Amino acid sequence: MRVFVTGGTGFIGHYVVKALLEHGHEVVIATRHPNKVPSLRSQPKVSFVEASLTDFDKMGEGLSGCDACIHIALGWGETPASMLMNDTRATVTLLEMAAKAGCQKFIQTSSTAAMGRMRPSMREVTSNLPMDLYGATKAAGEAFVLGFRRGYGSNFPEVSMKRNIIRPGYTFGNPAFPDGCSQPDRRFFDMARAVKEDRDIEIIKNDGTQFIHASQQAKLFVTLLESDKNEEIFLGLGSVWIGWKEIAEKMIALKPGCKSKIVEKDLGWGDEPMLFDVQKIKDQFGLVFDAHEFLDGHIKWTFDQV
């Protein structure tokens, strides 16, 4: 397939592009920074559209001849109106342009933030209760992706394009290419810097999540792309909960004689974490992800970078 990917030079994006190439697909990357990952420019099956999410004319031109669209890029803002204009509007416009271009498939990258407040059962069918503008934006984008079954009037009497959603959780990893990038969240790096400077590592007691490595996340994207699923939501998370305390302990162990201590702030979080139910990706795709197999290597890589 010829696949149009927004944000293909970003962290998750360049992992997804790498996986697509490994599966024999051709990729068109829409990005504001086409030179961000030089290794991608040397790939014979990769071409670029230099554009922001709101450069709709350029986006439409890039979608021409594509069989699928994977939307990963985020349009940011600091107010409800700017988030609506920069991200939700961009997502909806891209969705419509992909259908007009004849794309057979569309994958929207949402977030577990769309679901918001943690509850005893967190599954794909759990109602969205976003707690911030980012989560609200992602939830709004999801609604349009799922609701775009047909247009009105003479436009899109029906929509044959298969539309699906992935909600990633905390995704980590070394760069997919030597000149690529790591995750934008800096907590791994902050811990490594504290250890090197013999400062204490401050964390919240019982804080953690179902970490997933970027290569595992990319595998979910490609598996979904190559499936016949339609109007489905999938959680992109590991099956195993990992606490930040475990990561801090592994970081400290890298420096013999380290004087850093782990200082836990107690916010009353229980010892038993609430978990997202990732049974759906196991049942439908046979995918079960444990981030531990990548964790030690990433911690060591992070430690070496600071």
Side-chain angles (χ1 to χ4, degrees), residues 14 38 48 57-58 80 91 123 137 165-166 170 188 208 221 224 231 253 274 287:
H14 84 311
F48 290 85
D57 289 342
K58 290 183 179 179
T91 296
R123 302 167 55 225
T137 298
I165 295 162
I166 293 177
Y170 193 111
F188 279 85
F221 272 88
L224 176 57
E231 298 178 355
M274 289 187 180
L287 297 177

Side-chain angles (χ1 to χ4, degrees), residues 9-189:
T9 58
F11 173 51
I12 292 177
H14 84 311
Y15 262 95
V16 171
V17 170
K18 181 180 181 182
L20 289 169
L21 294 174
E22 290 172 347
H23 280 244
H25 299 292
E26 182 181 352
V27 182
V28 179
I29 297 175
T31 175
R32 293 174 298 162
H33 308 291
N35 296 313
K36 184 177 180 180
V37 185
S39 292
L40 287 176
R41 295 201 70 91
S42 64
Q43 299 289 331
K45 288 190 175 183
V46 174
S47 57
F48 290 85
V49 174
E50 185 173 352
S52 69
L53 278 178
T54 54
D55 290 334
F56 300 131
D57 289 342
K58 290 183 179 179
M59 288 287 190
E61 292 172 5
L63 281 162
S64 178
C66 289
D67 304 297
C69 176
I70 299 179
H71 179 34
I72 301 175
L74 169 68
W76 196 252
E78 296 182 352
T79 66
S82 60
M83 288 293 280
L84 173 67
M85 296 302 289
N86 296 335
D87 192 273
T88 304
R89 180 186 64 146
T91 296
V92 174
T93 304
L94 184 67
L95 178 71
E96 185 172 328
M97 289 191 299
K100 285 182 177 178
C103 287
Q104 302 161 17
K105 299 181 179 183
F106 186 97
I107 297 177
Q108 160 74 356
T109 307
S110 182
S111 169
T112 53
M115 303 173 74
R117 180 169 54 85
M118 291 294 292
R119 285 147 280 171
S121 177
M122 297 294 283
R123 302 167 55 225
E124 285 84 354
V125 295
T126 302
S127 60
N128 284 339
L129 297 173
M131 299 176 66
D132 55 26
L133 291 179
Y134 173 69
T137 298
K138 290 303 182 184
E142 288 186 4
F144 277 96
V145 169
L146 295 177
F148 187 42
R149 293 185 173 185
R150 63 181 180 87
Y152 296 91
S154 60
N155 292 324
F156 304 110
E158 62 179 0
V159 176
S160 59
M161 182 174 69
K162 291 181 169 61
R163 295 152 287 107
N164 294 289
I165 295 162
I166 293 177
R167 292 174 180 159
Y170 193 111
T171 308
F172 72 96
N174 309 355
F177 298 93
D179 50 10
C181 53
S182 183
Q183 68 267 17
D185 183 86
R186 308 312 291 173
R187 276 175 282 186
F188 279 85
F189 295 93

Side-chain angles (χ1 to χ4, degrees), residues 191 194 199-204 248 261-265:
M191 283 186 178
R199 292 185 287 108
D200 290 344
I201 299 175
E202 297 181 359
I203 61 173
I204 298 172
K261 299 187 297 294
I262 299 172
V263 179
E264 297 182 277
K265 184 177 182 180

